[in-house]
Amino acid sequence: VGAGTVLQFIFPVIVALVSAAIYKQKLNSYTIAALILSMLGVSLFYDGSTSASITGFLYSMITAVSYSIYILGVGHTRLKHIHFFKISFYFSLIWSTVAFVFAALTNQLTFDLEPRGWLYSLIVSLFVVVVGYSMFQLGIKLTGPTTASILSTVEPISGNIAGIILLGETLIVRHAIAALIIIGGVILVSLGTNKNRRTNHSDRPA
């Protein structure tokens, strides 16, 4: 889990490089520093546990690349002109169809859940799709793919906080340091965004 998480979270680097190379987005010093801090912070969440599986490595890299394509698509294609709730609806419809077909073909489809299980599934779905993905897509539209990707590296922090509060997990010093480093990166990318806005505003004709 630790190694897979770290590999998956290289997607901000992929998004930043593709945005600079293909879409000619300039990366200022704040953004570059924030990117480095974010990756350093995420790497500290790696606990050293790994199965040394090539298959697992490839799956994690495929996840990072495909997630980067999704972010770049929302930020640079016609999808950016579609309302974010509508995008979430269509994505959810596609995900549900693919998951249903895959589960049916692999004999893993089951509806044998207790009422509490259905309730928890509904709550998680609402938080993930309606709140999580929808707000992330709105963030991509407002701040751009690179900035949104860097800001999303706070996910391991929120996961650890939820684990401490809801599951009684203990706070690990290394994770606390990682959280501070990631927060530092978030502050830097915010400063860089504000600087770009001031520059663009000053360049406008009076």
Side-chain angles (χ1 to χ4, degrees), residues 34-46:
L35 197 59
I36 294 172
L37 287 178
S38 299
M39 293 299 97
L40 176 60
V42 170
S43 66
L44 288 177
F45 281 100
Y46 176 50

Side-chain angles (χ1 to χ4, degrees), residues 25-26 28 142-143 192-206:
Q25 178 184 346
K26 294 182 179 179
N28 57 41
L142 296 177
T143 65
T193 301
N194 291 332
K195 181 180 178 181
N196 286 338
R197 288 176 178 174
R198 290 195 299 267
T199 302
N200 293 335
H201 180 75
S202 62
D203 291 340
R204 293 177 182 175

